[in-house]
Amino acid sequence: MNKNIFLLSILVLLYACAAPQVTRVQPLAASADAPYDNVLVVSMFSSFDMRRIVEKEIVKQLAAQGTKAVASTSMMDTRTPVNRKTFVDMVESLDSDAVLVTQLVSLDSESKMKDMNPQATYNFRPTYYYNIWSVDLTEYVEPQRLELKNTVLLATTVYSASSKEPVWGIQTQSKFTQDFDQQRGIGAVQEEATAIALYLKRDGLIAK
């Protein structure tokens, strides 16, 4: 499977996973000019669609907290260079006071074949003998399925637009299990974005 498609499926095709485990890797710097109320949201993945999905959900969660946020992918397309100048120009255009950057740190996936539960159908028929029945048993056994156990680790860093220095950072880790051919929703991305917004507010990076 193409790597970009696989990574996109991990972030998009899953739901009902446990809340992400959050680790602070950089506490709020004493020099930070927080709280921030105008944030440019950037995600760094090889797939443009993945970046758009993640940024859109983070912007949604920040807006729910009362913070203005703009997704970088709303101001670019697949031909736009992903470099420092592009994002600096966005900050100047939006007059942003902070930039939030999320990127994939690691993706570990283990697969194994899983035995499925058999199903049985019973047919009962009376016989010529008293209290004696004829029983036909038909058992259906589904083929094995490929089960995936995944661990996704994302890093989120906030940069001050004025100092251009990182002022805060966390890592969020999600674990989930799915069948290889199982169709899912976008709950995993929502869980990640919710955790990011929660810790931004808890640590004073956005207004309470």
Side-chain angles (χ1 to χ4, degrees):
M1 182 182 293
N2 180 275
K3 182 179 179 181
N4 288 347
I5 297 176
F6 180 68
L7 293 177
L8 181 61
S9 67
I10 292 299
L11 289 178
V12 180
L13 302 180
L14 303 170
Y15 80 113
C17 61
Q21 177 183 344
V22 180
T23 303
R24 289 182 178 87
V25 295
Q26 180 182 350
L28 182 63
S31 59
D33 48 347
Y36 303 110
D37 56 17
N38 187 1
V39 181
L40 174 64
V41 176
V42 178
S43 61
M44 303 298 292
F45 300 99
S46 55
S47 164
F48 183 84
D49 285 338
M50 188 188 308
R51 290 165 52 201
R52 178 179 53 80
I53 291 167
V54 173
E55 289 180 8
K56 182 178 179 180
E57 194 58 40
I58 293 175
V59 167
K60 177 182 175 182
Q61 295 299 327
L62 290 178
Q65 299 290 345
T67 299
K68 179 181 177 181
V70 177
S72 70
T73 49
S74 68
M75 304 175 64
M76 63 194 307
D77 57 30
T78 56
R79 297 166 297 180
T80 306
V82 181
N83 55 33
R84 181 183 179 88
K85 182 180 185 305
T86 294
F87 299 124
V88 168
D89 290 344
M90 289 183 185
V91 169
E92 294 177 351
S93 174
L94 297 168
D95 195 25
S96 303
D97 53 10
V99 180
L100 183 150
V101 180
T102 297
Q103 58 187 323
L104 181 69
V105 175
S106 65
L107 169 60
D108 296 323
S109 183
E110 297 180 1
S111 62
K112 68 176 183 179
M113 297 304 294
K114 178 182 178 182
D115 292 328
M116 306 307 295
N117 294 326
Q119 297 181 355
T121 299
Y122 296 89
N123 291 317
F124 298 88
R125 296 190 305 273
T127 67
Y128 291 106
Y129 302 97
Y130 175 73
N131 206 28
I132 296 179
W133 297 75
S134 174
V135 180
D136 293 330
L137 169 64
T138 303
E139 189 173 56
Y140 304 90
V141 180
E142 295 182 12
Q144 290 182 317
R145 291 186 181 179
L146 183 61
E147 182 183 75
L148 302 177
K149 292 185 177 181
N150 305 291
T151 301
V152 177
L153 183 63
L154 300 180
T156 299
T157 305
V158 173
Y159 294 82
S160 168
S162 60
S163 68
K164 297 181 175 58
E165 297 293 332
V167 296
W168 178 86
I170 61 172
Q171 289 186 348
T172 52
Q173 183 183 80
S174 295
K175 295 183 179 182
F176 47 82
T177 301
Q178 68 165 144
D179 289 338
F180 181 75
D181 58 351
Q182 207 164 17
Q183 296 298 312
R184 298 290 186 172
I186 62 169
V189 180
Q190 294 171 343
E191 291 283 358
E192 291 281 354
T194 299
I196 291 169
L198 174 65
Y199 275 79
L200 285 168
K201 187 171 185 177
R202 181 177 295 177
D203 290 357
L205 282 98
I206 58 178
K208 297 182 179 181

